[in-house]
Amino acid sequence: MSDSVKYLLPEDRIPKTWYNIAADLPQPLPPPLHPGTGKPIGPDDLSPIFPMALIGQEVSAEREIEIPRPVREIYKLWRPAPLFRARRLEKALDTPARIFYKYEGVSPPGSHKPNTAVPQAFYNKEAGIKKLSTETGAGQWGSSLAFAGQLFGLEVKVYMVKVSYNQKPYRRALMETYGATCIASPSTETDAGKAILAQHPDSPGSLGIAISEAVEVAAKNPDTNYSLGSVLNHVLIHQSVIGIEAIEQMEMAGFWPDVVIGCAGGGSNFAGLAFPFLGKKLREKKSVRVIASEPAACPTLTRGKYAYDFGDTGHLTPLVKMHTLGSTFIPPSFHAGGLRYHGMAPMVSHLKELGLIEARAVRQLPCFEAAVQFARTEGIVPAPESTHAIRVAVDEALRCKAEGKAQTILFNLSGHGHFDMQAYTDYFAGKLEDRDYDEAELQAALAALPQVA
Ligand SMILES: *Cc1c(COP(=O)(O)O)cnc(C)c1O
């Protein structure tokens, strides 16, 4: 046990393998289905838009998957990422709880997303692909893929959700600095975008719409593949570097966490931190509570239905079984654009159904309140998405105080908020609102879920 606040690993402790929780599941994941036939899809259905190496990881049941050397070399730019103990926050909360956080904002684009952008660019380059198309919400994924694409000499085109495109001009500038092209979605460049604009000329866009545009471009061009920043199994596998490092760092600190927390949009940073801990729970019977924190305005895990649905609004993707608000549901605009997705990673949804994880919905204003307290004690200004994890960590620490329990809490600080200062400006000006989603719209979207036998 030490008094340190910062736990650093040497470069040679960057993991050599990723962790795949599929190997430790008590029940297998329901397979993705072809929307036309209703039958499980095969590799050939995905090969027009993904390289075979990633399709292989998508269906792999191997526990450990080797991280290619060139990927580990690039990981060295920011990994191993630091783990901190938030002693000043603990003191401010006057809690007996120990609060730790893993900080992923040290990557060049400022979030956990390059952990998967780099291997995705690597495998596509190896497969002879020239261009990648993708979507982005707040711009974190777009800038991460722009960064990774540039390192491997791939052209990157990003469809950015229109509301964020207007709210976050500096994220767009960052993508362009890394050499990518960024287009506001819905756009007039694709059939999917045109169809939405014909119905809703003022559409603020959504991740579901932007995914349709990016998939369409990849499907129509043989030299172009599609890249997704969250949700899919291979993305969750790549993000496991977060939790693998954190297990070693918690050992350095001398504590095993009672509670592990991550914010969940598509589920990748949450899974990245939590799954390696859950693996130990499943294999070694170590006890740990795991909580996914999501926005009350887009409450996929807490209010969505566990059902087969499309991953995108234009219905170009396979059907996957997940917690969903319905692929036609457009969440209200709020600042944590990275959490504005109608669905959830099938693997995260499956674990929720198995009772292995909990979910909690939190409102934007209390999240910013916790984030400002965090910035004023720990110094780091969190991304709006990450504030959701901080809120739940603070609530857990306050619960420990009320119960007089000295538990250990670990959360993922998935990114910094340096490109999101407008959100903080709005918060201080009292302009940030807690907008509710439209219940009638949600019910309509759920009623329109595809029928699967
Ligand atoms: C994209 C993003 C998220 C949400 O995506 P997940 O796949 O759920 O992790 C959370 N935090 C940050 C900083 C992001 O950029």
Side-chain angles (χ1 to χ4, degrees):
M1 235 173 280
S2 72
D3 289 329
S4 301
V5 294
K6 191 174 175 189
Y7 299 89
L8 293 175
L9 294 170
E11 212 168 78
D12 64 3
R13 297 305 303 162
I14 293 174
K16 295 193 171 59
T17 56
W18 289 301
Y19 169 65
N20 179 12
I21 200 167
D24 292 321
L25 290 177
Q27 282 173 37
L29 188 68
L33 304 180
H34 191 285
T37 64
K39 298 250 159 29
I41 56 165
D44 291 347
D45 293 308
L46 295 174
S47 59
I49 60 168
F50 293 121
M52 270 304 164
L54 291 176
I55 295 172
Q57 292 177 6
E58 196 58 27
V59 297
S60 171
E62 247 178 283
R63 182 173 293 119
E64 291 182 339
I65 295 173
E66 191 183 336
I67 305 178
R69 247 184 92 92
V71 172
R72 289 183 81 238
E73 284 303 312
I74 295 173
Y75 276 174
K76 281 183 188 169
L77 287 174
W78 73 96
R79 305 211 72 84
L83 180 121
F84 293 90
R85 178 160 175 189
R87 287 190 183 269
R88 290 184 182 81
L89 178 64
E90 290 170 15
K91 199 175 258 177
L93 295 170
D94 188 26
T95 175
R98 291 171 285 265
I99 306 174
F100 290 88
Y101 60 96
K102 178 77 168 163
Y103 185 40
E104 289 294 318
V106 290
S107 77
S111 78
H112 65 289
K113 295 219 168 72
N115 296 334
T116 185
V118 171
Q120 288 194 43
F122 167 79
Y123 291 121
N124 275 293
K125 181 72 182 186
E126 287 250 292
I129 287 295
K130 301 276 183 276
K131 301 178 191 170
L132 293 174
S133 69
T134 195
E135 73 294 326
T136 198
Q140 292 269 22
W141 170 243
S143 44
S144 299
L145 195 69
F147 156 74
Q150 186 59 237
L151 295 181
F152 288 102
L154 294 166
E155 252 180 67
V156 174
K157 190 169 213 176
V158 184
Y159 292 87
M160 185 171 188
V161 176
K162 196 174 276 169
V163 54
S164 300
Y165 184 92
N166 295 325
Q167 262 176 358
K168 300 176 198 282
Y170 296 127
R171 274 276 161 207
R172 203 194 323 160
L174 184 60
M175 287 179 240
E176 288 164 358
T177 304
Y178 286 135
T181 316
C182 180
I183 295 136
S185 165
S187 79
T188 52
E189 288 196 354
T190 65
D191 293 341
K194 280 187 240 173
I196 295 284
L197 287 172
Q199 277 194 310
H200 308 282
D202 299 327
S203 171
S206 70
L207 278 170
I209 295 169
I211 293 173
S212 297
E213 294 206 81
V215 170
E216 182 182 324
V217 169
K220 283 182 177 166
N221 297 287
D223 65 346
T224 307
N225 263 351
Y226 169 66
S227 188
L228 185 60
S230 186
V231 178
L232 297 176
N233 295 334
H234 67 260
V235 177
L236 274 46
I237 288 170
H238 301 158
Q239 292 297 352
S240 67
V241 288
I242 303 171
I244 295 169
E245 289 177 5
I247 285 176
E248 194 167 341
Q249 288 163 309
M250 289 304 293
E251 277 166 11
M252 283 168 77
F255 295 100
W256 172 261
D258 297 289
V259 189
V260 174
I261 300 159
C263 67
S268 75
N269 88 85
F270 162 74
L273 177 67
F275 283 8
F277 286 93
L278 272 178
K280 285 206 172 262
K281 177 175 178 152
L282 291 165
R283 293 191 310 278
E284 301 169 23
K285 307 276 176 279
K286 284 202 171 242
S287 90
V288 63
R289 271 178 70 211
V290 172
I291 308 174
S293 170
E294 63 180 10
C298 188
T300 317
L301 280 167
T302 52
R303 299 294 309 279
K305 208 163 151 177
Y306 185 55
Y308 273 101
D309 195 8
F310 291 98
D312 69 321
T313 308
H315 297 176
L316 301 175
T317 69
L319 294 172
V320 291
K321 196 157 189 191
M322 61 181 176
H323 287 87
T324 177
L325 300 168
S327 61
T328 54
F329 179 73
I330 309 288
S333 310
F334 52 88
H335 271 288
L339 306 183
R340 259 185 95 237
Y341 181 56
H342 71 271
M344 182 55 62
M347 189 62 88
V348 171
S349 295
H350 184 56
L351 292 168
K352 171 80 169 32
E353 285 304 294
L354 292 175
L356 285 162
I357 65 168
E358 301 167 35
R360 209 174 285 176
V362 286
R363 292 180 162 270
Q364 175 169 248
L365 280 171
C367 286
F368 273 90
E369 191 189 325
V372 169
Q373 184 176 35
F374 184 82
R376 289 178 184 178
T377 48
E378 296 298 314
I380 299 171
V381 178
E385 291 81 7
S386 316
T387 67
H388 293 69
I390 299 177
R391 178 71 258 169
V392 172
V394 166
D395 288 344
E396 283 295 307
L398 294 174
R399 175 189 57 76
C400 288
K401 181 177 173 178
E403 295 174 356
K405 283 186 186 157
Q407 291 193 341
T408 299
I409 297 164
L410 168 64
F411 74 89
N412 200 8
L413 187 56
S414 51
H416 69 64
H418 297 175
F419 292 92
D420 307 282
M421 296 314 291
Q422 189 60 45
Y424 285 87
T425 304
D426 291 350
Y427 174 70
F428 292 124
K431 282 200 237 158
L432 217 60
E433 303 170 78
D434 268 320
R435 281 215 254 158
D436 280 319
Y437 61 87
D438 185 330
E439 184 65 38
E441 212 179 287
L442 172 61
Q443 292 312 323
L446 288 176
L449 283 176
Q451 299 297 314
V452 176

